[in-house]
Amino acid sequence: MEHILLVDDDLQLQSLISELLTFEGFKVDVCNNGEECIEYMKHTTPDVLVLDVMMPKKNGWDTLREIRQNNPLLPVLMLSAKGDSIDRVLGLELGADDYIGKPFDDRELIARIRALLRRANAEDIPQDSKVIKIDQLELNQTQFQATFANEPIELTYTEFSLLLYMVKNRGKAISRDELSREILGKRHQAFDRVIDMHVSNLRKKIPDRENGMPWFKTIHGLGYMFIE
């Protein structure tokens, strides 16, 4: 039974989401704010963290920042006010895997959580060619670890999955819709910047090549290409 930790100070919404997730077969624990979440995770790590942005004592951004110091691969879905792009962009920059705006459709919430769980399933990673090397960049598919010149690069699970997919399709222009479906488990929507923000994070985290050539090329109007 997959374990979901729900963190939201809106007790009525918290109760409704908890009932929905329990009905769908998940084990659900709840916290009312970021401080409770941090304390909870000192002893237990859930399969997916559903984290609200605006909370008292410790907001979602500060909570996520602290969690990522010790749990870079934990799948995190952030809840943000519908249409508040600042919340979403900042959350993705801090390491959230995906977001959903309030109010949301119950089926969409379940679909997003299941997509995160599928990506976190190590059985989905092929066992052949466990390590892929491009220049000084190495991707270990079984350990979900990226290194550059033998130095580790701290990536979230989504960032690693996105990088791995693009490396495997290097030299090919890949649409945002394909990346969104393959990595996030959802169709790309107009004005959805999740893929863009994850690529931006990768550009910041991966050191420059010795020859100065960029790792990624933006294909305007389509998506991205990993340059071999």
Side-chain angles (χ1 to χ4, degrees), residues 132-137 163 166-173 209 211-217 224-228:
I132 299 177
K133 184 173 182 178
I134 305 292
D135 296 337
Q136 292 179 288
L137 178 67
L163 178 59
M166 296 184 73
V167 165
K168 287 183 174 181
N169 291 276
R170 52 193 177 273
K172 170 188 173 183
R209 282 169 156 159
N211 61 10
M213 182 180 294
W215 294 105
F216 305 96
K217 179 180 180 180
Y224 298 96
M225 176 191 297
F226 185 93
I227 303 173
E228 186 167 13

Side-chain angles (χ1 to χ4, degrees), residues 17-35:
I17 296 176
S18 181
E19 289 181 10
L20 171 66
L21 296 177
T22 300
F23 180 79
E24 291 291 328
F26 297 109
K27 174 186 176 183
V28 183
D29 285 329
V30 298
C31 293
N32 298 325
N33 55 65
E35 288 186 356

Side-chain angles (χ1 to χ4, degrees), residues 88-89 92-93 96-99 158-159 162 166 174-177 179-180 183-184 186 188-204 216-225:
R88 298 173 180 184
V89 169
L92 293 169
E93 287 180 340
D97 296 283
D98 200 0
Y99 64 76
T158 295
E159 290 166 354
L162 176 60
M166 296 184 73
I174 313 174
S175 69
R176 288 180 177 83
D177 186 60
L179 292 172
S180 185
I183 306 304
L184 303 175
K186 64 177 183 178
H188 178 75
Q189 302 293 327
F191 308 111
D192 186 341
R193 296 189 59 196
V194 176
I195 291 297
D196 296 328
M197 290 306 307
H198 286 313
V199 173
S200 176
N201 289 343
L202 289 173
R203 281 174 163 154
K204 296 173 185 175
F216 305 96
K217 179 180 180 180
T218 300
I219 311 298
H220 294 290
L222 178 66
Y224 298 96
M225 176 191 297

Side-chain angles (χ1 to χ4, degrees), residues 41 45-47 49 63-77 91-98 116 119-120 143-146 152-161 198 201-202 205:
M41 291 193 60
T45 301
D47 295 307
L49 173 63
T63 303
L64 178 60
R65 185 183 290 109
E66 189 168 341
I67 286 172
R68 280 300 183 223
Q69 294 177 4
N70 299 311
N71 295 277
L73 298 180
L74 173 67
V76 178
L77 175 66
L92 293 169
E93 287 180 340
L94 292 174
D97 296 283
D98 200 0
L116 289 174
R119 297 206 317 274
Q143 297 179 6
F144 304 100
Q145 177 64 60
I153 306 171
E154 293 297 332
L155 301 179
T156 68
Y157 192 92
T158 295
E159 290 166 354
F160 181 88
S161 299
H198 286 313
N201 289 343
L202 289 173
K205 291 183 177 183

